[in-house]
Amino acid sequence: MKNSSRALLAVILLAGFPILVLVIIAAIVVVEVWAIRDSPSIGLRLAIIAVPAVYVLLQALFTIERTHDDGGSGLPVTPEAQPELWALVRELANAVGTRPPDEIYLVPQVNAAVLEQTQWLGLRVTRRRLFIGAQLFAGLRIDQFRAVLGHELAHYSNRDTRFGGATYRGRQTIGRVVNGLNGTSWFGRMLRSLFHAYAKLYFVVSMRVSRDQELAADAAAARVAGTAAASSALREIEALALLWRFFLNTYATMGWTAGYVPARLAEGYRQLLADDSRAVEIDKVRQNPPQHEVSRYDSHPATLERIAVLEAAPVVPVAEGGERSATEILHNASATLDEALLTGLSTEARRKKPADWPTLVDAATRHQFSENATKILGRRSLQDLLDALDAGKLAELADPGLKVPAGAGARARRELLGGSARERLSTVVVSALATAGFARWTLSWSGPAELVLDAPYADTLDPALDAAVTGDTAGLRALLPAAEPDPIRS
């Protein structure tokens, strides 16, 4: 079956859905009227069962035609503010044979998409919007960026793909009906079985249409940007998405409990991308993109399948100049991308204090050490801990959860307790030094924040800590007066 035939069948199935809904509603109403006339009590009991199911069906009926406004989320960019970006988008739209979008938004997702507001089951377009992930500018070359935008615009470049909006909305609507009937009465569940069968047929047809559209859009991307750019863009986006998740979980949220958020998200992400320590890891993802199990209902073929289809087609050369960073397309790129990424902050995040990266890292790590030190000290002071060490009471400083084997000898016991005590003592002392202004932490994109100690602590603190856990705290006590070591107490 050709793609145009499948697309037409998908639209026919979607058009048939409201007819099916109306027929079932009409049947329920007829049965209800008959039941009330025959026996009001039976009619009332039947209404308790039927009304919830009719409500779900009516909801579905009214959402078939209604398009959801995606809200223009993200940072809107006008032709006046970003003329080069708009010129590129218009060039690519013309190249793939479609009209350019009415609006462009930069969004905080590793993705790009063209979304339309439509009427008449997707056949009449009222508004077209292009959404571009800020991370794509930060991590892609211009030729790869052209391929990504060319792919998204190509989804709307011919009559077949005009049905894409209708089939997508149809999947949402039919899925909503099936899920809505799941928790209703036995009658609702019976209706669910009927719609589930209809949904399976619709999903199979529409998914095949969507997959064909993806491959056709990939071919269009290769035509406008080059085969190598199109295939490498698919690999690169997987790597960018992986690194973005790592960035969010490790760096962007590190100051959360301390009350800080990064003021320059894009700057940090670009620095992480440029860090050599991540090169090997990122290259592995490029060479072997994550493989997700693809079911018969998935709208996208597997990434490696798409790459294989691209590379099996006649090669289209990449135009010169495409090796430059996509950020060069934007005016005032750093500030623009930062503003776009900040649109993704939650209300709670907006209440936090924005900070530059050095301030954020130091404040976040300082706060973490302070909280840990407070837990270790409890109601004691640092001097109390040192007195316990002088008395050989390692267990008072060691982790309470540390389990010493019952058969452990004296030496093994000292080593186990000493290692734990040494680590916890270091936390308390370093926190005290940071409070007194003699310790701070600096940013590292290769690993944890790096501790920086002022003189004389940089050279003398480790030996003093080692000696303290053996019962000789004199060296550590000599260092601490200048550090005002007792500000951390509960």
Side-chain angles (χ1 to χ4, degrees):
M1 185 183 292
K2 293 183 179 179
N3 187 53
S4 56
S5 300
R6 294 192 193 96
L8 179 59
L9 178 57
V11 172
I12 291 173
L13 287 171
L14 179 59
F17 182 73
I19 297 174
L20 177 62
V21 172
L22 288 172
V23 168
I24 294 175
I25 291 175
I28 293 174
V29 171
V30 169
V31 171
E32 179 66 27
V33 171
W34 174 82
I36 290 176
R37 288 179 176 178
D38 186 68
S39 173
S41 62
I42 293 176
L44 179 61
R45 288 196 294 270
L46 182 61
I48 294 173
I49 297 173
V51 168
V54 171
Y55 175 75
V56 172
L57 293 173
L58 287 173
Q59 273 192 319
L61 190 63
F62 287 118
T63 56
I64 291 173
E65 178 55 27
R66 186 175 68 230
T67 59
H68 296 279
D69 189 351
D70 293 288
S73 58
L75 176 68
V77 290
T78 64
E80 294 75 23
Q82 298 294 342
E84 292 183 39
L85 174 60
W86 274 89
L88 173 62
V89 170
R90 287 166 176 156
E91 174 202 334
L92 293 172
N94 181 65
V96 301
T98 189
R99 68 177 182 83
D102 302 295
E103 302 167 17
I104 297 178
Y105 293 84
L106 305 188
V107 294
Q109 291 91 36
V110 189
N111 191 24
V114 176
L115 300 179
E116 291 185 335
Q117 289 182 304
T118 62
Q119 297 175 345
W120 303 344
L121 295 176
L123 301 179
R124 180 175 182 271
V125 178
T126 59
R127 201 73 177 164
R128 179 178 289 181
R129 290 170 171 155
L130 171 61
F131 297 87
I132 309 173
Q135 298 90 333
L136 303 184
F137 286 95
L140 295 181
R141 304 190 307 263
I142 286 179
D143 58 350
Q144 295 169 328
F145 188 75
R146 287 175 59 91
V148 172
L149 296 191
H151 173 100
E152 297 303 328
L153 291 165
H155 278 304
Y156 299 88
S157 63
N158 57 62
R159 192 65 183 174
D160 291 348
T161 55
R162 173 58 58 81
F163 298 134
T167 57
Y168 174 75
R169 190 165 60 261
R171 291 194 296 272
Q172 289 184 314
T173 301
I174 295 176
R176 200 156 39 239
V177 173
V178 173
N179 291 331
L181 291 170
N182 191 38
T184 57
S185 64
W186 63 268
F187 182 66
R189 290 191 292 273
M190 182 179 68
L191 290 178
R192 183 180 185 275
S193 298
L194 173 63
F195 283 109
H196 188 266
Y198 197 97
K200 287 180 68 175
L201 174 61
Y202 182 83
F203 288 169
V204 168
V205 173
S206 64
M207 288 302 101
R208 185 62 185 271
V209 172
S210 297
R211 291 184 188 184
D212 288 345
Q213 290 173 358
E214 287 300 321
L215 296 177
D218 285 341
R223 288 196 302 272
V224 300
T227 301
S231 61
S232 66
L234 290 173
R235 297 180 184 274
E236 197 68 33
I237 287 176
E238 295 284 357
L240 292 178
L242 178 68
L243 204 61
W244 177 249
R245 289 192 295 271
F246 174 78
F247 174 76
L248 286 179
N249 294 332
T250 306
Y251 289 97
T253 56
M254 69 183 307
W256 188 266
T257 56
Y260 291 88
V261 291
R264 304 293 299 276
L265 279 167
E267 174 190 286
Y269 184 57
R270 292 174 68 184
Q271 289 183 19
L272 181 62
L273 284 172
D275 187 76
D276 291 338
S277 66
R278 309 291 173 189
V280 174
E281 178 186 0
I282 294 174
D283 195 55
K284 286 181 180 179
V285 178
R286 292 190 187 106
Q287 298 305 317
N288 299 287
Q291 294 305 296
H292 310 290
E293 185 176 349
V294 179
S295 77
R296 63 188 302 194
Y297 305 118
D298 286 333
S299 60
H300 285 59
T303 300
L304 285 180
E305 178 186 342
R306 296 170 62 188
I307 292 172
V309 171
L310 275 171
E311 294 178 346
V315 175
V316 179
V318 177
E320 293 183 5
E323 69 283 354
R324 293 176 295 127
S325 170
T327 55
E328 296 187 22
I329 298 170
L330 292 176
H331 286 192
N332 197 10
S334 295
T336 300
L337 295 181
D338 279 326
E339 189 175 356
L341 290 175
L342 289 174
T343 63
L345 292 181
S346 64
T347 302
E348 185 178 0
R350 293 180 185 279
R351 297 192 186 104
K352 307 286 185 181
K353 183 178 180 180
D356 58 43
W357 283 103
T359 301
L360 177 77
V361 170
D362 182 61
T365 315
R366 183 187 301 266
H367 180 78
Q368 181 182 354
F369 265 73
S370 178
E371 286 195 328
N372 291 339
T374 299
K375 292 177 182 177
I376 293 169
L377 285 170
R379 302 187 64 83
R380 302 170 297 183
S381 70
L382 180 51
Q383 296 293 346
D384 294 334
L385 297 185
L386 296 179
D387 291 341
L389 290 173
D390 280 336
K393 299 177 181 178
L394 286 173
E396 291 193 11
L397 182 53
D399 186 349
L402 178 65
K403 302 297 183 183
V404 179
R411 180 176 179 180
R413 179 181 175 83
R414 282 197 304 272
E415 288 180 354
L416 286 171
L417 294 175
S420 177
R422 204 284 192 186
E423 181 180 353
R424 287 159 63 84
L425 177 62
S426 175
T427 298
V428 175
V429 171
V430 169
S431 180
L433 291 173
T435 301
F438 298 109
R440 66 201 55 83
W441 288 267
T442 60
L443 175 64
S444 171
W445 296 111
S446 304
E450 298 175 354
L451 174 64
V452 177
L453 295 169
D454 291 344
Y457 306 101
D459 298 323
T460 59
L461 182 59
D462 280 341
L465 290 170
D466 293 337
V469 295
T470 66
D472 179 9
T473 64
L476 187 56
R477 290 178 187 274
L479 289 175
L480 291 176
E484 300 178 10
D486 289 331
I488 305 172
R489 300 189 66 165
S490 60

